[in-house]
Amino acid sequence: MSKKLCLKLIFFSLLVISAASLFAQTAADRGFAEESFRRGVQAFYRGAFNDAVLQFEEALTYLPEENLILEWLGKAYYRAGMEDAALMEWNYAAQNGYGGQLLQNIIEIVSVRRIFTGDYGADGRFVESGSFPATEGTVLHYSQPVSILPNTDGSFWVSAYGSNELIRVNVNGVVVERKKGPLNGFDRPFDMLRMDDGTIVISEFAGDRLTFLTSDGSYIKSFGTKGRGDGELLGPQFLAHDSNGNIFVTDYGNRRVAVFSEDGEFLFNFGNFKSPTGISVYGDNVYVADNYYGCIYSYDLAGNYEGLFVPDDSFENPEAMRVYKDGLMICDGSKIYSVSIDTGAPVLVADTGNGPSWITCAEEDANGNIIAADFKSNELYVLSRMPELIGGLYVEICRVNADNFPNVDLEVRVENRRRQPVVGLSDINFFITEDKYAVTNPMLTGSADLNENCDITIIIDRSSGMKAFESDVQYAVREIAASMKGKGTLRIVSSGYIPTSEIISSPSDMLNFSMKDIKTEYSDLCSTDLAIRLAANDLVNGEHKRAIVFITDGNVTGSAFSNYTLSDLSAYLNNNGISFALLSTVQQAVTDELAYITENTGGDEYYLYRSEGISSIVGDLLDIPSGIYTLSYTSGMPTDFGRSYLPVELEVYLLNRSGRAETGYFAPLE
């Protein structure tokens, strides 16, 4: 063999050895990456988001350009409240051509949420996103709708003047319930009003009376008779009530407003109107619309005239008037206006067009839409903001449980672009696929908005100034525990120099809570941000309705928020469905930091010794809408003994809007 040939053979052998070594190294790297990735996905679904971040970052050291890992790292950052880091990873994957329109939409929505101020400006107009006609073929569902009364589950009551009934309509436009009133039936039901205790009041235009119903629409009693004397009515129309429970009704035939107590006792009449229609109570003022003059008058709660709130000829045919955000919403023919309490200036909110239309009532529902009743066209309209209609729904598969594979459970969150939960969805709104193929036995198994259980973590401020309020804190914890009625789990976290998890217990075991059980010392420096993170960590895997209640004097120490920014804390709570409420032992304004977190997580501020007490806090937390749903199905995917990444997709449809989410999971190892 020639020397030249030997050199060629040696060189070729080296090439083969190098290629084999490189292949072995690449295969090993992929194997290590896949194992870290699998552990990261499992940590994510356990709610251990920091562990998931570490696992995904380790996987990227082996496969730094793997877009699927980048997407999951972004998910873990997002759920951990670090939205800037999440966006960076998602943008990197998108720049590599990964994720398509779905990932771009997620990036756009999360980016907008971080800077959204709550004011749509010129894009704040509402447009029709759906309608529910009274007739479908030869089937009559209702006749001549007048008034709307939204429910917290996304459905709403409609007073059907023509068919003498109340109907309850769900978010898909299906009539799910009918109420006919007393034994002799309603006599032209007109307006509806919900009292603070849930009781529903109905004005009956032809019956010249007011009727009380339970919160579910069952008849209680009626009062009022036909006539012109005190306590008598002629064609009662629209209703309102004040903070004392007094009921105000526009007595159309008598051209006045009649006022009754919450028990139905006549109190007084006021006003001398030409054609009184819509009425609303805002603060200490009563506002009454006059259809003849096209204006709104202002009175105090005792019926004393205060002046012309909106001048004559501002409206053509004003009807129902409702409190809406920081002002009033009033219907006028085919148009709906909002009116500022500060200026009295009407601003057009929606216009249903030039056709035969007579909007008698419009109300905001639990999903942020406006439901409008059109008496003339015999139709109900669903009106949505244009950005919401164009942008669609934000859908997130928060958790996949495949422990009982092939039976798979999904925990899903559905929101609009403003992070507002979408409630009231049913089976027909969801479509599940695996690798683009429809799954077997899909089923909606739960809606968190219907939950009556709420997990609560109480953070006790252990700053030095709180030492004087030990008895107050003890009282507050006992009251909250009693209000939970034995349901859910109650935790105590101390916000000291080093935050500590003190107690995990059932509410019943905390009825005799003592401050002697708290071990954390008082401190001049308290890490409030770490305490909030610690409290949230345990709630991530809790009930779908979960909240933090922070008991404090409203002040914070100098190092309170030195570890996490306010936006990151709020994002961590919001992205895991945790509300934050503030319970102050002192009746004064709280610091800006605490107010920011409370305002941006759907909670509220309470004073410990307010006149109505604090027992309603738990009820208020339960009433906060939740867009979390649980679904189940049977998978048909091959698992490769638990090593294969199994894709799952979900589409959500609601009227003219939709949203989509994609994720994946691993079956148990075999």
Side-chain angles (χ1 to χ4, degrees):
M1 184 182 294
S2 67
K3 183 177 180 181
K4 188 173 183 181
L5 180 59
C6 287
L7 290 173
K8 285 183 177 180
L9 289 173
I10 292 170
F11 179 71
F12 178 74
S13 299
L14 290 174
L15 284 177
V16 171
I17 293 171
S18 298
S21 176
L22 179 62
F23 176 79
Q25 182 181 4
T26 302
D29 287 348
R30 178 163 292 278
F32 290 134
E34 288 176 351
E35 181 58 24
S36 295
F37 177 68
R38 185 180 66 83
R39 289 197 298 264
V41 171
Q42 292 175 330
F44 179 90
Y45 288 142
R46 291 197 310 269
F49 305 121
N50 291 335
D51 290 345
V53 167
L54 294 176
Q55 292 294 336
F56 293 138
E57 287 181 339
E58 181 178 340
L60 284 172
T61 62
Y62 298 106
L63 296 176
E65 299 298 323
E66 180 57 57
N67 292 315
L68 179 61
I69 302 175
L70 289 172
E71 179 193 7
W72 271 94
L73 179 57
K75 287 182 179 181
Y77 277 133
Y78 176 78
R79 293 292 297 278
M82 294 176 276
E83 292 182 338
D84 283 335
L87 289 169
M88 183 176 69
E89 302 299 337
W90 287 335
N91 277 309
Y92 188 36
Q95 289 166 8
N96 294 337
Y98 176 81
Q101 187 58 47
L102 177 59
L103 183 57
Q104 290 289 351
N105 189 52
I106 293 173
I107 292 171
E108 192 264 337
I109 289 178
V110 174
S111 299
V112 168
R113 283 178 172 181
R114 291 180 60 76
I115 61 174
F116 184 66
T117 63
D119 182 9
Y120 276 109
D123 293 328
R125 288 276 297 274
F126 285 76
V127 296
E128 184 178 333
S129 63
S131 64
F132 309 139
T135 58
E136 187 176 1
T138 58
V139 178
L140 177 67
H141 296 298
Y142 59 86
S143 177
Q144 294 179 309
V146 175
S147 181
I148 304 293
L149 185 65
N151 300 311
T152 56
D153 64 356
S155 67
F156 52 92
W157 290 103
V158 180
S159 61
Y161 184 90
S163 50
N164 274 326
E165 61 184 344
L166 302 187
I167 60 171
R168 188 166 66 87
V169 182
N170 69 14
V171 295
N172 296 302
V174 177
V175 177
V176 294
E177 197 171 2
R178 297 179 185 273
K179 297 294 181 180
K180 297 292 186 179
L183 289 176
N184 58 344
F186 290 121
D187 196 353
R188 304 305 179 191
F190 204 88
D191 198 16
M192 296 175 289
L193 169 70
R194 180 176 284 111
M195 304 296 286
D196 292 339
D197 64 356
T199 300
I200 299 174
V201 184
I202 310 294
S203 61
E204 297 185 59
F205 185 81
D208 299 311
R209 65 189 180 194
L210 302 184
T211 293
F212 282 20
L213 308 175
T214 61
S215 58
D216 62 0
S218 299
Y219 177 76
I220 300 176
K221 65 178 181 179
S222 300
F223 64 90
T225 57
K226 182 183 183 69
R228 298 190 177 276
D230 290 343
E232 297 178 336
L233 302 167
L234 285 178
Q237 290 195 342
F238 294 103
L239 299 161
H241 76 296
D242 63 16
S243 58
N244 296 317
N246 296 328
I247 301 167
F248 296 73
V249 54
T250 49
D251 188 359
Y252 188 82
N254 288 316
R255 300 182 179 182
R256 65 192 181 194
V257 172
V259 185
F260 298 86
S261 73
E262 59 185 337
D263 296 323
E265 178 188 356
F266 171 75
L267 298 178
F268 59 91
N269 299 311
F270 70 86
N272 184 17
F273 305 95
K274 190 75 171 179
S275 179
T277 51
I279 187 170
S280 190
V281 175
Y282 189 103
D284 294 329
N285 293 94
V286 183
Y287 298 95
V288 184
D290 193 303
N291 190 291
Y292 182 84
Y293 293 109
C295 64
I296 301 176
Y297 301 110
S298 175
Y299 296 81
D300 66 18
L301 295 178
N304 299 308
Y305 180 70
E306 292 193 338
L308 192 62
F309 179 59
V310 179
D312 293 356
D313 300 322
S314 296
F315 307 106
E316 294 182 5
N317 190 28
E319 293 288 346
M321 186 162 52
R322 299 288 198 254
V323 173
Y324 177 67
K325 302 191 183 304
D326 296 327
L328 306 173
M329 181 163 60
I330 186 167
C331 302
D332 183 28
S334 64
K335 298 178 174 62
I336 302 171
Y337 293 92
S338 66
V339 179
S340 166
I341 289 294
D342 294 331
T343 65
V347 176
L348 185 64
V349 171
D351 189 344
T352 59
N354 296 322
S357 183
W358 181 11
I359 304 296
T360 50
C361 183
E363 279 267 22
E364 185 178 31
D365 73 357
N367 291 324
N369 304 309
I370 289 179
I371 310 296
D374 192 327
F375 187 85
K376 184 175 289 186
S377 68
N378 217 20
E379 197 163 5
L380 301 169
Y381 301 119
V382 181
L383 308 171
S384 305
R385 286 185 173 88
M386 181 63 77
E388 297 289 343
L389 194 58
I390 295 174
L393 302 172
Y394 180 77
V395 180
E396 179 186 3
I397 301 175
C398 305
R399 183 169 301 173
V400 180
N401 184 349
D403 291 347
N404 298 315
F405 191 86
N407 297 320
V408 180
D409 297 316
L410 304 181
E411 181 183 302
V412 178
R413 179 181 288 111
V414 184
E415 300 173 333
N416 64 16
R417 293 169 62 86
R418 294 175 294 154
R419 212 191 290 268
Q420 184 175 9
V422 176
V423 301
L425 302 180
S426 60
D427 291 81
I428 65 173
N429 299 109
F430 298 93
F431 182 65
I432 308 172
T433 58
E434 278 191 322
D435 201 18
K436 310 300 186 292
Y437 290 94
V439 301
T440 305
N441 300 325
M443 184 182 303
L444 176 65
T445 56
S447 174
D449 202 58
L450 302 178
N451 282 16
E452 296 182 354
N453 296 350
C454 181
D455 280 358
I456 295 177
T457 297
I458 297 175
I459 300 178
I460 297 177
D461 185 359
R462 297 295 279 178
S463 60
S464 299
M466 283 294 291
K467 194 170 185 178
F469 298 102
E470 283 205 346
S471 61
D472 305 276
V473 174
Q474 181 172 284
Y475 164 74
V477 173
R478 292 179 177 182
E479 282 291 296
I480 292 172
S483 300
M484 293 177 71
K485 300 178 181 177
K487 299 178 180 178
T489 301
L490 182 60
R491 298 174 175 86
I492 304 290
V493 168
S494 290
S495 175
Y497 181 71
I498 299 177
T500 306
S501 180
E502 301 271 6
I503 301 172
I504 301 176
S505 177
S506 70
S508 300
D509 293 338
M510 297 290 285
L511 297 177
N512 295 315
F513 165 79
S514 171
M515 286 296 289
K516 295 178 181 178
D517 299 331
I518 303 301
K519 307 304 181 186
T520 303
E521 298 292 333
Y522 289 99
S523 174
D524 291 333
L525 295 175
C526 293
S527 301
T528 306
D529 53 356
L530 294 180
I532 294 173
R533 293 281 302 196
L534 178 61
N537 290 344
D538 286 336
L539 289 171
V540 166
N541 293 317
E543 291 283 349
H544 290 153
K545 287 203 170 182
R546 44 211 180 207
I548 294 171
V549 178
F550 187 32
I551 304 177
T552 177
D553 60 359
N555 300 309
V556 295
T557 63
S559 61
F561 296 97
S562 59
N563 300 284
Y564 292 92
T565 66
L566 296 176
S567 60
D568 283 347
L569 284 172
S570 299
Y572 185 42
L573 299 181
N574 282 323
N575 296 344
N576 292 284
I578 302 171
S579 303
F580 184 89
L582 197 68
L583 181 56
S584 180
T585 58
V586 180
Q587 195 169 16
Q588 64 180 21
V590 302
T591 60
D592 292 341
E593 296 93 337
L594 295 175
Y596 176 92
I597 297 174
T598 305
E599 181 180 351
N600 285 276
T601 56
D604 207 343
E605 297 179 17
Y606 302 87
Y607 170 52
L608 180 58
Y609 295 109
R610 61 180 189 164
S611 59
E612 60 267 46
I614 63 168
S615 59
S616 66
I617 290 180
V618 175
D620 292 345
L621 295 174
L622 282 168
D623 286 341
I624 295 174
S626 174
I628 296 177
Y629 300 86
T630 53
L631 303 106
S632 66
Y633 66 93
T634 303
S635 175
M637 299 288 289
T639 69
D640 189 21
F641 304 102
R643 293 191 294 268
S644 291
Y645 178 75
L646 308 180
V648 58
E649 306 88 32
L650 174 71
E651 293 188 38
V652 181
Y653 302 92
L654 179 60
L655 300 178
N656 291 330
R657 287 190 288 170
S658 64
R660 180 178 173 83
E662 296 180 357
T663 190
Y665 65 96
F666 291 90
L669 287 172
E670 299 179 22

